Amino acid sequence: MEKKSQVTRDRYILEIVRGLLLSEVAFQEIFKKYKEGRLHFSDIGIWIDDKGHSLLYNLKEQCHSLFRYKGKKLTHKNEWLLDLVIGSIFHEAMKLRENIYQMEVYQPKYLQYKSKVGRSDYEKDYLQQFERIILKTKLGVTEGMEETRSLFQDAMVQLIDLFKEGAKNTFLVRFLLENLTLLQKVYGSKKAKEIFDLMFKKGFLDAYQVVGQSYLQSEHYDLSSNYFLKALKMDPYNHDLQFLLNFSLGMNEYFRNAYSKSLSYFAKLTPLKLNRKLKKEYLRKVEEVCNKIFSELKEEKGLKGARKAGSLVDRIRKCYDELKRSS
């Protein structure tokens, strides 16, 4: 039950990180348009709205759901603070949205009224009030932009603390690797690399291995082989990585019914010297698969392939015996 709860929490953390990064990138574009004088109300709909479909609304709700509605469970200071900051960004954005709407929709009407204002006292009063409203709204947009920008900057710094604690969250590590471009948009290439160095002792190398193992455990062999290959390029003499890569490639080819390729990859496993427990765990699976290949090819009279599979099974069993004797 505790493990299931942790998995749920890890997924929530991932969604919060995703939402915060996407919201920051969206705001960068909004801020740029604002500075260039070409921002329109329609430009901010995906970022913030009053219908509950925007990035910031979903982010706020996800954050509250994880950090605020926890019953009797205590919330860590960093979690409480992140929830507060995200809530503040949302409400600042809502005020900003309203001010932008007023500037776009009502300012032209106020200006039109100014050219046609009559001589009555109430019309003159209206004009003064409208001018005050527009002035206040302009100031609100300026202050809102700067305030929101400042909050996002602080949130991005705090997010790094969340990353430091997230090395065991495989969902998060997967997301960061698979959305490296997004991470770089927010932090820049150099800082993005530093984030992985903060999370893992060996930076990208460890991250690739963590994600590779994660995909391997869930039997996504095509994806695990992709990440083990990335890791192996960084550490080409690592026998554990060589083993896991060839195992993943072999399993992937097996499920593609490419038995010859599968056996070729599996044949590379037995000579490698590595962690006994790791080797035994995966060799059992390889033996099982090779026996299936042997039986299937034998039935189909693919004698050459069957002999190759049978020979590999014998080698694996010998490998077992050697591991037992040395343990």
Side-chain angles (χ1 to χ4, degrees):
M1 189 68 182
E2 189 176 335
K3 186 177 179 181
K4 187 177 180 182
S5 175
Q6 185 61 46
V7 168
T8 302
R9 176 186 167 79
D10 286 349
R11 287 184 183 276
Y12 265 110
I13 291 288
L14 160 62
E15 292 305 321
I16 289 168
V17 169
R18 186 206 307 271
L20 194 49
L21 292 176
L22 289 173
S23 298
E24 158 66 4
V25 169
F27 179 71
Q28 286 176 4
E29 184 61 24
I30 288 167
F31 191 81
K32 181 184 176 186
K33 287 183 177 180
Y34 164 70
K35 283 295 188 182
E36 293 171 353
R38 56 188 184 91
L39 180 65
H40 298 287
F41 182 73
S42 58
D43 294 327
I44 65 172
I46 294 173
W47 183 62
I48 185 73
D49 69 2
D50 58 356
K51 298 182 178 69
H53 303 306
S54 63
L55 284 169
L56 282 177
Y57 179 86
N58 291 332
L59 175 60
K60 173 183 71 79
E61 289 301 301
Q62 286 161 351
C63 211
H64 287 353
S65 181
L66 180 60
F67 298 142
R68 194 172 292 192
Y69 312 133
K70 295 180 70 170
K72 294 180 180 179
K73 286 188 78 175
L74 293 174
T75 305
H76 295 299
K77 180 186 174 184
N78 279 345
E79 296 174 354
W80 172 83
L81 186 56
L82 187 62
D83 178 60
L84 179 63
V85 169
I86 287 173
S88 299
I89 288 172
F90 173 79
H91 290 291
E92 280 298 323
M94 284 296 288
K95 289 189 286 183
L96 187 58
R97 176 183 182 275
E98 181 60 28
N99 284 331
I100 291 170
Y101 182 80
Q102 274 195 282
M103 290 296 296
E104 186 167 315
V105 176
Y106 283 93
Q107 185 181 23
K109 293 180 181 179
Y110 294 156
L111 294 173
Q112 187 180 18
Y113 173 75
K114 187 176 181 180
S115 66
K116 297 178 180 179
V117 66
R119 295 181 179 180
S120 65
D121 289 341
Y122 71 83
E123 286 180 293
K124 291 175 183 176
D125 285 344
Y126 278 152
L127 181 60
Q128 289 177 353
Q129 289 179 62
F130 291 157
E131 286 177 343
R132 283 198 299 270
I133 289 170
I134 288 299
L135 189 62
K136 186 179 177 182
T137 302
K138 279 183 179 178
L139 185 62
V141 171
T142 301
E143 290 179 347
M145 282 289 178
E146 291 302 328
E147 200 66 52
T148 304
R149 188 184 185 205
S150 178
L151 284 167
F152 264 120
Q153 286 172 343
D154 289 341
M156 292 306 109
V157 173
Q158 191 191 348
L159 200 55
I160 292 174
D161 287 336
L162 194 69
F163 293 148
K164 288 179 190 176
E165 299 166 3
K168 292 182 180 178
N169 183 343
T170 54
F171 301 112
L172 176 61
V173 182
R174 278 187 201 177
F175 171 78
L176 293 177
L177 284 177
E178 290 165 5
N179 294 272
L180 193 56
T181 303
L182 175 62
L183 199 65
Q184 289 169 340
K185 276 185 181 178
V186 173
Y187 292 103
S189 298
K190 184 180 177 182
K191 192 67 179 178
K193 181 183 179 299
E194 287 174 5
I195 285 170
F196 285 97
D197 291 335
L198 288 169
M199 292 177 74
F200 299 100
K201 187 177 179 180
K202 296 181 180 178
F204 276 114
L205 175 60
D206 287 344
Y208 290 146
Q209 291 185 74
V210 165
V211 173
Q213 286 279 13
S214 170
Y215 279 127
L216 185 60
Q217 287 168 11
S218 54
E219 299 185 350
H220 291 289
Y221 299 114
D222 55 336
L223 296 172
S224 65
S225 60
N226 179 43
Y227 281 99
F228 288 136
L229 181 59
K230 287 175 185 285
L232 196 60
K233 285 179 180 177
M234 296 182 72
D235 189 6
Y237 301 108
N238 187 313
H239 284 191
D240 284 6
L241 285 173
Q242 291 173 21
F243 184 92
L244 292 169
L245 173 61
N246 283 298
F247 175 82
S248 296
L249 290 168
M251 291 300 294
N252 189 49
E253 295 299 341
Y254 168 69
F255 284 110
R256 292 176 65 243
N257 296 319
Y259 294 157
S260 179
K261 287 184 179 179
S262 179
L263 292 171
S264 294
Y265 286 123
F266 288 152
K268 297 176 183 178
L269 301 179
T270 52
L272 292 171
K273 294 180 180 179
L274 64 156
N275 180 292
R276 290 193 192 98
K277 186 178 178 182
L278 177 74
K279 197 167 186 177
K280 284 172 72 175
E281 178 186 350
Y282 289 107
L283 284 180
R284 284 194 194 98
K285 183 70 175 176
V286 172
E287 182 185 11
E288 180 187 325
V289 168
C290 287
N291 275 320
K292 288 179 180 178
I293 293 174
F294 173 79
S295 299
E296 197 170 323
L297 291 177
K298 193 175 180 183
E299 284 180 15
E300 295 173 0
K301 296 185 178 179
L303 298 180
K304 185 178 178 181
R307 282 196 297 271
K308 188 176 180 181
S311 173
L312 188 52
V313 169
D314 290 339
R315 284 162 58 190
I316 290 169
R317 285 174 182 161
K318 285 180 183 177
C319 192
Y320 274 148
D321 292 339
E322 288 173 9
L323 288 170
K324 285 178 183 177
R325 283 196 296 270
S326 61
S327 60

